[in-house]
Amino acid sequence: MKTSTEKDTITTITTHYIDGAFVESHGREVMDMINPTNGKVIGRVTLADEEDARGAIAAAKRAFGSFGLTTKDERTKILRRLHEAVAARVDDLTQVMIEEYGGVAQFSAPIVQYAANVFLAAEKALQELPLTRKWGKTTVTLEPVGVAGLISPWNANALFLCAKLASALAAGCTVVMKPSELSSLQTRVWLECVHEAKLPKGLCNVVIGRGEVVGAELVRNPDVAKISFTGSVGVGKSIMRDGAATMKRVTLELGGKSPNILLEDADLKKAIPTAFIVAFLNSGQACVAGTRLLVPKSRLEEVKRAILDTAPAFPVGDPADPRTAIGPMASQKQYERVQSYIRKGIEEGAEVLVGGEGRPRGLEAGYFVKPTVFVNVKNDMTVAREEIFGPVLSVITYDTEEDAIRIANDTSYGLHAFVSGTDLERARRVASQIRAGRVAINGMLDDQQAPFGGFKNSGVGREFGTYGIEAYLEPRAILE
């Protein structure tokens, strides 16, 4: 990717990655990149237009003619090369995530390493996935759907790029990727990794542009067979609607308003720090964040004291400081969005136990918000219904176990959920009744082979493991 560094340390990006090469942008719109920690311009990127997108799609279509016929072993070698290339730049990818996005060091470093390891996880899943089944004179093969358009968000750039690319390539698809334009500097470093991996031309094409321009072209172009999108519910619905014109296969990972149920026997010395971790993960800018804390009425005062005792262990501040738990919001727009929800919570009668409106003292230059915990929240309040995407936690009380399950499921989302309790059998029983794609018991847990995706407005389809690869495959039967 062509870049230049000016005397004022502003990095300028003017190219996209098409057909195995860095190509000058046909689009002419230039956008500033802002460091959210201090509000300063640190880069400029020239955004793609429809012609850039069409060039990338054409390259992917040409490459699919041969790559769609490759074997597991051939795809495995490509996945391994990508892992090695990204793993070699973990420090660089972490640093640029901190600078451009404001991701705290204690989150950014492990999430980038996790991203590199996604390729190894996809390799394992591919080996375990049977691509051929036979009975009698019938043979069924799982065939790659074709060119895949991969549209990813700004809150964990390297992870989404690696995860979507890994599953698509493992299935034998070629791709055109549209990362968020807010992640252009991170994408630049990531693309250097891709280029170093020396993939066949046209396998991975990346155009940085706006959703209504590049994303729209991917959705309507008949040469794109599949769309994988991570982002907002509204955009996800438009992709589903507009993609129907060309019978797009879609995977949509959308929003969340995840419940975290504290059972009556929960050990608050463990459960409350865990509640902070899952609610304020990635500074609250995480679709899986457990932002509704459901607690027994009988333990509310005890929980409130535990929250006040725990809050100082989750300081907001400079994301480069390894002690910082919560960094700035990604943009001025996101800062204002979170502030509006905090005001709405107060207006609707929720009580501020921790935090509140405005910036923390001494952090006025960046897009920092006060980590906020509301109590006396009713599940019909706006802060309990809508995804805020910031460090705002709502405490909701319940009477019985059945009441807790009802409240947990009383949401338009169903991406993730959490259950905390010392009686594991009871915790498992509760978890089995929650309508969510993943439910974690006693912690922020993960398994790269487990499916990831949601019920209801949280999306359609699944990612990761064999489930994620299958999303890029279609069965074909040959009968003799």
Side-chain angles (χ1 to χ4, degrees), residues 165-201:
L165 179 63
S167 292
L169 294 185
C173 293
T174 56
V175 307
V176 178
M177 310 184 79
K178 194 213 84 66
S180 169
E181 62 274 20
L182 296 179
S183 304
S184 298
L185 302 184
Q186 296 169 76
T187 298
R188 180 200 68 186
V189 178
W190 185 82
L191 272 174
E192 291 169 0
C193 301
V194 172
H195 193 63
E196 182 63 28
K198 296 180 172 56
L199 307 184
K201 290 182 178 180

Side-chain angles (χ1 to χ4, degrees), residues 183-447:
S183 304
S184 298
L185 302 184
Q186 296 169 76
T187 298
R188 180 200 68 186
V189 178
W190 185 82
L191 272 174
E192 291 169 0
C193 301
V194 172
H195 193 63
E196 182 63 28
K198 296 180 172 56
L199 307 184
K201 290 182 178 180
L203 255 63
C204 177
N205 307 275
V206 180
V207 282
I208 299 174
R210 298 190 184 278
E212 62 269 27
V213 179
V214 174
E217 179 63 33
L218 291 175
V219 172
R220 65 174 171 254
N221 195 296
D223 289 332
V224 177
K226 161 87 180 183
I227 294 289
S228 176
F229 169 79
T230 299
S232 71
V233 175
V235 175
K237 288 180 177 179
S238 71
I239 287 173
M240 205 171 208
R241 180 180 60 250
D242 297 343
T246 51
M247 296 302 291
K248 290 284 191 294
R249 277 60 177 154
V250 297
T251 297
L252 305 174
E253 193 269 283
L254 308 175
K257 195 67 183 177
S258 302
N260 180 7
I261 300 177
L262 267 61
L263 298 175
E264 291 176 352
D265 64 347
D267 179 355
L268 297 189
K269 291 182 180 178
K270 296 179 181 178
I272 296 304
T274 295
F276 271 75
I277 290 169
V278 302
F280 295 163
L281 177 74
N282 198 14
S283 304
Q285 297 174 130
C287 52
V288 300
T291 54
R292 290 186 297 146
L293 182 63
L294 278 53
V295 305
K297 282 183 180 177
S298 61
R299 300 194 71 181
L300 177 59
E301 293 306 314
E302 188 183 357
V303 166
K304 287 164 67 174
R305 289 193 297 271
I307 288 172
L308 290 171
D309 290 342
T310 303
F314 290 81
V316 60
D318 180 0
D321 187 333
R323 297 168 297 182
T324 297
I326 301 167
M329 300 297 92
S331 65
Q332 177 69 25
K333 179 181 178 181
Q334 189 61 22
Y335 169 82
E336 292 171 354
R337 172 186 170 89
V338 176
Q339 291 296 313
S340 71
Y341 275 108
I342 294 173
R343 287 193 296 273
K344 189 71 170 177
I346 295 169
E347 291 167 3
E348 293 185 354
E351 176 189 338
V352 175
L353 181 66
V354 174
E357 287 188 77
R359 288 175 166 85
R361 184 177 300 174
L363 296 171
E364 290 80 9
Y367 307 138
F368 294 92
V369 303
K370 296 175 183 176
T372 298
V373 180
F374 283 115
V375 293
N376 296 335
V377 176
K378 305 300 181 184
N379 201 49
D380 60 356
M381 290 182 177
T382 302
V383 291
R385 305 303 298 177
E386 298 183 14
E387 184 178 41
I388 298 173
F389 228 59
V392 180
L393 174 63
S394 295
V395 178
I396 303 169
T397 58
Y398 67 87
D399 293 308
T400 64
E401 180 180 303
E402 293 73 23
D403 191 34
I405 294 167
R406 179 190 61 78
I407 294 170
N409 289 330
D410 181 17
T411 173
S412 61
Y413 295 105
L415 183 62
H416 211 297
F418 305 87
V419 178
S420 296
T422 54
D423 182 343
L424 286 179
E425 285 303 314
R426 183 184 186 190
R428 291 174 186 138
R429 182 177 69 245
V430 171
S432 70
Q433 298 176 71
I434 299 176
R435 300 281 291 173
R438 278 190 181 185
V439 185
I441 296 175
N442 291 329
M444 184 69 224
L445 309 174
D446 185 63
D447 180 347

Side-chain angles (χ1 to χ4, degrees), residues 64 66-83 119 122-123 126-127 129 131 142-145 165-174 199-200 203 469 472-473:
F64 180 70
S66 56
F67 187 66
L69 302 175
T70 52
T71 65
K72 280 187 178 182
D73 286 344
E74 289 171 313
R75 297 172 199 171
T76 290
K77 290 176 182 176
I78 286 174
L79 292 171
R80 184 60 63 92
R81 292 209 304 271
L82 283 164
H83 162 72
F119 294 108
E123 176 189 342
L126 177 60
Q127 295 304 328
L129 179 63
L131 298 180
L142 296 181
E143 302 293 329
V145 297
L165 179 63
S167 292
L169 294 185
C173 293
T174 56
L199 307 184
L203 255 63
I469 298 172
Y472 294 88
L473 296 168

